[in-house]
Amino acid sequence: MPPVKLEASVDIKPVENGNAKEHVTLPLKGLETIEPLVRSVEETPEQISTEVQGTIPSWINGNLLRNGPGKFEFGDTHYNHWFDGMAMLHRFNINQGQVTYMSRFLQSDSYRKNSESDRIVVSEFGTLAMPDPCKNFFQRFLSRFEMIDSTDNASVSFVKYKGDYYVSTETNFMHRVNPENVETLGQVDWSKFIAVNGATAHPHSDPDGTTYNMGNSYGSKGALYNIIRVPPEKTDAKETLEGAKILCSIVPANKSHPSYYHSFAMSENYVVFIEQPIKMDLLKIVTCKLRGKALSEGIYWDPKQETVFHLVDKRTGEVSAIKYHTKAISTFHQINAFEEDGFLMVDLCCADDGAAINNYLIQNLRKSGEALDEVYNTLSRPLPRRFVLPLHVTSDTPIDQNLNTRPSSTATCVKIGKDKVFCQHENLHGDDLFEYGGLEFPQINYGRCNTRPYRYFYGCGFRHLVGDSLLKMDLKDKSLKVWYQKGFFPSEPVFVPSPDATDEDDGVILSVILTPSQFLHLCDPPLQGVLGGIPPRRNFWKLMS
């Protein structure tokens, strides 16, 4: 295969936004079809060299590891939801100004079983595996009464525990992988170490390497939310999750209808769990195979329920008796959380409804014309918001007055009962963000700013069903800078600091870009960098400072 060109340019200016503009809620029309982005691709297990045009900073050396769905059918059977596609692991190696690329499908049990049968035999989030047509009628009937096995298709993200790399989804299964060649090394089951039935794919880490996560457990008395702590050290090279402990358990407001959560927040001293009105009907979920419905059919949005913030002391595992409520919102990713002046700031991307999780059906992503526009215009925009939680609420704290004494903050927090504080957010953006469809997949300078006060965060703008721009937000004046090119669809940005950086935003942003065409491009400061493509797939990488 000939070398793949990697092009860098310096003549593209970031979109500068002046004063905030009025929020325009007119529906978008004429969205570009993204059907080519939602189809299966072949793996590239042998490293591909690239020809770099332009200059990659010499100090950027290492692997950019990415994960996501890469196969959407087996034989004549097709997945229904974007979350269901088989995990493909990507590695971009950057070394002395040169870049190579390789990718492999995760060798999960789900992938192997589906491949051997040439049909979908393991159910996923939005796809129910149908009984084997070779079985007789009675066998197919009985199979309806079997519980659905948890998938080990770890297609969400790369995570680290005790220095090892894993790929993860939201079930109890992860896979340890080799970051140098993205080969699958082995399956790891959370339930072999602690009593949980799954864990999120977005853990948090302290500077010493101690890692925190969350996972549900289900028993005869209903569900529990569990805070997990994994120690940083190994006593043996073959260790995986040994030493993991449940720090504490939180009882759901409704044990048979617990909240769905994709991640959580963490400050220096607290884990913050956000119990939102995206609910899981456990009866529908455990009977989905009997009813012939996918697991996703058991997840619903209940706008009548308030959202509740639970605070857990990381040292003691004590759950705060004070519960912080706000209106019904949905959140998938938090930006940062930090403590200051007796308050806990929780910054997150959230929307005012929870319909998004069930809107990312493959059939919706493959629509075009007015049908595609209609799907997009039914979605609520994800927006960055800050909630200010007072940490020292006692019986002497006055009721029915704003406890937020921070002069620069417009957020409110009012004690309305013995153990209840109602919070109203402040926006972390100007009205100009609405031009770009809101912001999701937020990232910060994690090593420097996680659990600490910070100024900048980055994310994707969503003037489409998938991200179509890269955004840089400045909290000092809530200003916005944008990288955008029509027909290019960036993924979650990753911030890499420069050596000996003094400023918080001194570094580059790496993002994998998807595009229906085989073209690549790069941009310049303050959202600046290099972009490259790896045919025959539609995966690209971008460096931006």
Side-chain angles (χ1 to χ4, degrees):
M1 181 178 293
V4 179
K5 288 186 178 181
L6 227 61
E7 183 178 346
S9 69
V10 294
D11 58 345
I12 298 177
K13 304 299 181 183
V15 179
E16 296 285 355
N17 295 284
N19 295 328
K21 301 177 182 178
E22 291 186 6
H23 176 202
V24 178
T25 57
L26 294 176
L28 289 183
K29 296 181 179 180
L31 292 178
E32 176 184 0
T33 180
I34 55 172
E35 187 277 334
L37 306 182
V38 193
R39 63 187 181 198
S40 298
V41 294
E42 298 296 323
E43 62 183 1
T44 307
E46 299 299 326
Q47 186 169 270
I48 297 176
S49 297
T50 66
E51 176 187 338
V52 177
Q53 296 181 357
T55 302
I56 299 174
S58 60
W59 55 266
I60 302 177
N61 293 287
N63 293 324
L64 172 63
L65 303 174
R66 300 281 80 185
N67 187 7
K71 185 173 178 62
F72 296 96
E73 69 283 314
F74 286 91
D76 296 328
T77 58
H78 302 260
Y79 289 114
N80 299 324
H81 200 283
W82 192 19
F83 299 170
D84 298 345
M86 292 291 97
M88 175 176 273
L89 314 182
H90 309 264
R91 191 213 69 171
F92 299 85
N93 178 259
I94 309 170
N95 185 31
Q96 298 299 314
Q98 299 298 313
V99 180
T100 58
Y101 170 81
M102 67 190 317
S103 65
R104 299 179 191 270
F105 281 111
L106 177 68
Q107 295 301 301
S108 62
D109 288 347
S110 298
Y111 180 81
R112 286 197 293 263
K113 289 176 180 177
N114 293 335
S115 298
E116 291 167 0
S117 300
D118 197 28
R119 68 182 186 88
I120 297 171
V121 298
V122 179
S123 296
E124 299 290 340
F125 172 76
T127 304
L128 179 68
M130 301 308 294
D132 187 346
C134 296
K135 292 181 178 179
N136 61 39
F137 173 81
F138 186 65
Q139 290 173 317
R140 293 198 300 271
F141 174 74
L142 288 180
S143 69
R144 293 281 190 178
F145 295 87
E146 299 172 356
M147 289 288 292
I148 290 182
D149 293 330
S150 294
T151 179
D152 67 337
N153 177 37
S155 62
V156 179
S157 66
F158 278 85
V159 296
K160 284 183 73 174
Y161 293 99
K162 301 183 181 183
D164 290 330
Y165 288 82
Y166 297 83
V167 286
S168 178
T169 179
E170 295 183 338
T171 69
N172 53 304
F173 296 113
M174 297 191 300
H175 289 270
R176 194 159 62 92
V177 297
N178 183 338
E180 295 303 321
N181 58 18
V182 288
E183 285 187 345
T184 307
L185 300 179
Q187 184 193 86
V188 178
D189 183 349
W190 276 101
S191 66
K192 302 296 184 183
F193 301 91
I194 51 177
V196 296
N197 298 97
T200 82
H202 295 291
H204 279 291
S205 296
D206 277 337
D208 69 352
T210 301
T211 306
Y212 296 84
N213 208 335
M214 286 195 62
N216 279 6
S217 58
Y218 307 102
S220 59
K221 296 182 179 180
L224 292 173
Y225 310 121
N226 301 293
I227 310 299
I228 303 165
R229 182 165 58 197
V230 182
E233 67 280 346
K234 283 185 175 185
T235 58
D236 184 276
K238 296 181 180 180
E239 275 192 11
T240 55
L241 298 175
E242 282 82 358
K245 296 184 182 299
I246 293 178
L247 184 63
C248 73
S249 297
I250 301 170
V251 179
N254 184 333
K255 288 187 177 182
S256 62
H257 290 248
S259 291
Y260 168 81
Y261 55 90
H262 183 71
S263 58
F264 62 98
M266 187 178 83
S267 68
E268 182 180 2
N269 295 297
Y270 297 94
V271 168
V272 185
F273 166 53
I274 304 168
E275 189 174 19
Q276 61 184 339
I278 300 179
K279 298 295 183 178
M280 300 187 293
D281 186 326
L282 297 185
L283 180 60
K284 284 188 175 181
I285 288 173
V286 299
T287 61
C288 62
K289 194 170 184 180
L290 177 63
R291 296 181 296 109
K293 300 290 186 180
L295 183 149
S296 58
E297 297 284 336
I299 298 179
Y300 66 97
W301 167 249
D302 184 356
K304 297 179 181 179
Q305 298 291 319
E306 292 182 343
T307 301
V308 182
F309 294 78
H310 299 268
L311 271 58
V312 178
D313 189 304
K314 288 163 59 176
R315 294 161 298 185
T316 66
E318 181 181 359
V319 183
S320 173
I322 305 299
K323 303 303 177 187
Y324 304 87
H325 291 240
T326 191
K327 67 176 185 176
I329 58 170
S330 64
T331 180
F332 293 93
H333 301 101
Q334 287 72 54
I335 305 168
N336 198 7
F338 62 94
E339 302 154 42
E340 194 172 65
D341 302 327
F343 294 92
L344 174 58
M345 270 57 70
V346 182
D347 298 350
L348 50 88
C349 292
C350 56
D352 292 322
D353 69 44
I357 195 169
N358 285 320
N359 278 350
Y360 283 88
L361 300 172
I362 297 297
Q363 64 187 35
N364 287 341
L365 295 172
R366 289 175 174 169
K367 287 181 178 179
S368 60
E370 293 182 0
L372 178 61
D373 297 345
E374 183 179 355
V375 172
Y376 175 80
N377 288 314
T378 62
L379 297 177
S380 181
R381 302 292 162 255
L383 298 169
R385 296 170 175 172
R386 170 169 293 175
F387 293 86
V388 178
L389 314 183
L391 291 172
H392 306 300
V393 178
T394 68
S395 58
D396 296 326
T397 301
I399 292 179
D400 296 333
Q401 72 179 50
N402 183 16
L403 304 177
N404 182 14
T405 56
R406 298 168 65 82
S408 61
S409 174
T410 59
T412 64
C413 43
V414 178
K415 182 182 177 183
I416 60 174
K418 177 183 176 183
D419 297 321
K420 183 175 180 179
V421 175
F422 192 85
C423 302
Q424 292 182 314
H425 69 269
E426 64 176 298
N427 292 328
L428 297 182
H429 63 89
D431 286 346
D432 48 357
L433 180 60
F434 291 111
E435 292 184 43
Y436 301 96
L439 182 149
E440 249 293 2
F441 300 128
Q443 289 289 321
I444 61 174
N445 184 340
Y446 192 91
R448 173 169 171 165
C449 298
N450 187 49
T451 75
R452 301 179 181 91
Y454 69 112
R455 177 174 173 178
Y456 302 102
F457 65 95
Y458 310 85
C460 291
F462 273 77
R463 282 177 58 89
H464 210 299
L465 289 177
V466 296
D468 72 334
S469 60
L470 288 169
L471 309 179
K472 176 184 180 181
M473 299 292 301
D474 185 343
L475 291 176
K476 184 176 181 179
D477 57 5
K478 297 183 180 178
S479 62
L480 172 67
K481 290 181 177 176
V482 182
W483 177 90
Y484 168 81
Q485 279 199 318
K486 182 176 175 56
F488 282 58
F489 300 95
S491 68
E492 177 183 48
V494 177
F495 183 85
V496 181
S498 302
D500 304 318
T502 56
D503 295 330
E504 179 186 327
D505 63 341
D506 184 358
V508 298
I509 288 293
L510 283 72
S511 177
V512 177
I513 307 297
L514 306 179
T515 179
S517 62
Q518 301 298 337
F519 177 77
L520 50 109
H521 188 81
L522 259 214
C523 56
D524 198 11
L527 278 176
Q528 150 188 100
V530 235
L531 166 68
I534 308 295
R537 51 191 99 254
R538 302 161 305 286
N539 298 310
F540 300 87
W541 65 278
K542 172 177 289 296
L543 304 175
M544 303 195 311
S545 63

